[in-house]
Amino acid sequence: MKKAYNFNAGPCVLPKAAIDSAIDALKDFKGTGMSVIEVSHRSKEWDAVMDECRALWKELLNIPDTHEVLFMAGGASTQFLCVPMNFLEKKAAYLETGVWAKKAYKEAAGLGDAVVVASSADKTFSYIPKGWSIPTDVDYFHITTNNTIYGTEIRRDIDSPVPLIADMSSDIMSRPVDVGKYALIYGGAQKNVGPAGVTFAIIRRDALGKVSHYIPTMLNYQTHIDGKSMFNTPPVFSIYVMNETLKWLKGIGGVEAINKINVKKAQMLYDEIDRNSLFVGTAAKEDRSIMNVCFVMAEGREALQDEFLSFAKDRGMVGIKGHRSVGGFRASLYNACPVEAVEALIATMQEFEKLHK
Ligand SMILES: *Cc1c(COP(=O)(O)O)cnc(C)c1O
């Protein structure tokens, strides 16, 4: 098989163990003589997968009993709408740190009164705004912890006087999180915990039930709590692979252990970007993401961009082109991206520098 160093931003690289196990389960799921995509989602074999997966989420993220773990569909983009539907009564507040944050805000503003507390739009979202405070007259405060497109990240758990809601699509399970501080954490699985098709939501039960309007059934978190994430047919294959991915994560020591590796991988690549005369990082140093590393050609060397992309491609690098809205390069170093891939990318950057010194 061709060797690929996969730096895709999402869907992303997954552990080989999870892929192998998925292949087996596609052929024969737990000795049932049927594929995992053919069995009933009401069978006891499937129930066991749901239970195991929920338990792994709780264990790996240390989720308190006040919170439920839900598996939904529709991606983080549908959660942008579920959030105001379930929480917005008078007014909502958002921190605008990128395109995903803007899309989340748009849904709230479309349904009711929403304010932007602070924004980094003035510098292409290359930093996390500072010096703002959370209004106390709002129903909730929404943040995007990792800004996948710009490579900035809020890596601490904010104290909020109002229910705190976070889109953690691209940094969930990359570091320990104090889940108790959040009313809701949500995201698409395909950035760090599984394939596309399943959406996770970790929700504090007592934060619900505070709005007076009708909440459409499928958008209502209570529906999915009551139905144990099986009110309707769940995305079984995606959940199966997510469960295998979490088993792999537990096997290598869990979130604390992977966080150390993630910090190391990011540090190695940022060090090279800072050292290499051909490249510069685009995110403010204090806000640099450990998941998505964004960089461009140094001033005066912009003409080398396409050449570097094809040079890296020849050496097996996949997915390092920056998002179409910002250009340059982006290497996504999610949990399953091995240190070896980062080393290969660094070696490629060094080789390229020698050619163009
Ligand atoms: C990818 C991404 C989304 C969109 O996720 P979908 O599951 O594709 O809807 C939202 N927020 C962030 C931070 C993302 O990285």
Side-chain angles (χ1 to χ4, degrees), residues 241-262:
V241 183
M242 178 166 74
N243 188 42
E244 293 302 312
T245 302
L246 296 183
K247 275 157 74 175
W248 165 84
L249 180 54
K250 183 179 168 177
I252 62 165
V255 170
E256 302 262 355
I258 202 76
N259 181 49
K260 290 205 183 84
I261 299 169
N262 288 335

Side-chain angles (χ1 to χ4, degrees), residues 200-222:
F200 60 86
I202 305 164
I203 191 155
R204 198 174 67 224
R205 272 184 303 273
D206 72 8
L208 290 172
K210 309 236 193 281
V211 295
S212 52
H213 57 251
Y214 173 73
I215 305 172
T217 308
M218 278 300 285
L219 301 185
N220 193 333
Y221 291 111
Q222 196 62 51

Side-chain angles (χ1 to χ4, degrees), residues 46-313:
W46 179 255
D47 253 342
V49 175
M50 293 294 282
D51 287 342
E52 182 177 32
C53 196
R54 261 189 295 266
L56 278 168
W57 271 90
K58 286 183 183 161
E59 182 185 343
L60 287 165
L61 276 184
N62 225 335
I63 299 175
D65 286 339
T66 45
H67 288 60
E68 295 273 351
V69 180
L70 305 179
F71 309 133
M72 299 167 67
S77 300
T78 304
Q79 295 293 309
F80 296 164
L81 169 61
C82 290
V83 167
M85 271 292 171
N86 284 267
F87 294 97
L88 178 53
E89 179 75 8
K90 305 182 313 281
K91 197 167 147 191
Y94 282 71
L95 188 64
E96 190 182 84
T97 52
V99 161
W100 296 120
K102 280 177 76 162
K103 288 183 175 171
Y105 167 78
K106 177 175 179 257
E107 299 303 298
L111 285 167
D113 190 7
V115 291
V116 172
V117 166
S119 171
S120 49
D122 60 337
K123 290 185 182 161
T124 330
F125 301 116
S126 58
Y127 68 102
I128 301 291
K130 310 281 173 339
W132 41 269
S133 59
I134 303 169
T136 51
D137 64 338
V138 294
D139 301 313
Y140 64 88
F141 178 52
H142 182 283
I143 58 172
T144 312
T145 50
N146 186 63
N147 299 284
T148 324
I149 297 174
Y150 316 90
T152 63
E153 189 175 12
I154 303 169
R155 263 164 70 198
R156 62 189 176 85
D157 301 304
I158 292 172
D159 287 303
S160 172
V162 297
L164 180 63
I165 296 182
D167 174 358
M168 291 198 190
S169 292
S170 53
D171 62 350
I172 191 75
M173 297 276 182
S174 70
R175 60 183 167 93
V177 169
D178 185 353
V179 175
K181 288 192 173 177
Y182 299 82
L184 170 67
I185 294 171
Y186 69 84
Q190 72 276 12
K191 305 281 167 62
N192 212 21
V193 287
V198 57
T199 310
F200 60 86
I202 305 164
I203 191 155
R204 198 174 67 224
R205 272 184 303 273
D206 72 8
L208 290 172
K210 309 236 193 281
V211 295
S212 52
H213 57 251
Y214 173 73
I215 305 172
T217 308
M218 278 300 285
L219 301 185
N220 193 333
Y221 291 111
Q222 196 62 51
T223 303
H224 301 283
I225 292 176
D226 296 343
K228 292 189 135 197
S229 299
M230 293 208 289
F231 171 78
N232 69 328
T233 321
V236 286
F237 188 64
S238 298
I239 292 174
Y240 184 85
V241 183
M242 178 166 74
N243 188 42
E244 293 302 312
T245 302
L246 296 183
K247 275 157 74 175
W248 165 84
L249 180 54
K250 183 179 168 177
I252 62 165
V255 170
E256 302 262 355
I258 202 76
N259 181 49
K260 290 205 183 84
I261 299 169
N262 288 335
V263 167
K264 182 183 157 202
K265 285 187 297 188
Q267 193 59 55
M268 284 164 57
L269 186 51
Y270 283 123
D271 283 350
E272 175 59 19
I273 290 166
D274 293 343
R275 186 211 61 77
N276 194 310
S277 58
L278 293 183
F279 302 100
V280 286
T282 50
K285 283 193 179 167
E286 69 277 15
D287 299 323
R288 281 174 162 179
S289 165
I290 61 167
M291 293 278 96
N292 311 97
V293 176
C294 295
F295 54 107
V296 292
M297 299 307 309
E299 225 181 300
R301 311 310 293 268
E302 292 88 348
L304 289 174
Q305 174 163 316
D306 288 347
E307 190 183 329
F308 179 68
L309 279 174
S310 70
F311 185 83
K313 189 175 170 219

Side-chain angles (χ1 to χ4, degrees), residues 308-347:
F308 179 68
L309 279 174
S310 70
F311 185 83
K313 189 175 170 219
D314 289 345
R315 282 152 189 79
M317 309 298 137
V318 177
I320 60 161
K321 197 174 172 160
H323 188 270
R324 58 190 182 280
S325 64
V326 292
F329 313 105
R330 168 177 57 177
S332 298
L333 313 180
Y334 297 121
N335 286 357
C337 170
V339 174
E340 181 207 351
V342 182
E343 287 167 350
L345 176 56
I346 291 170

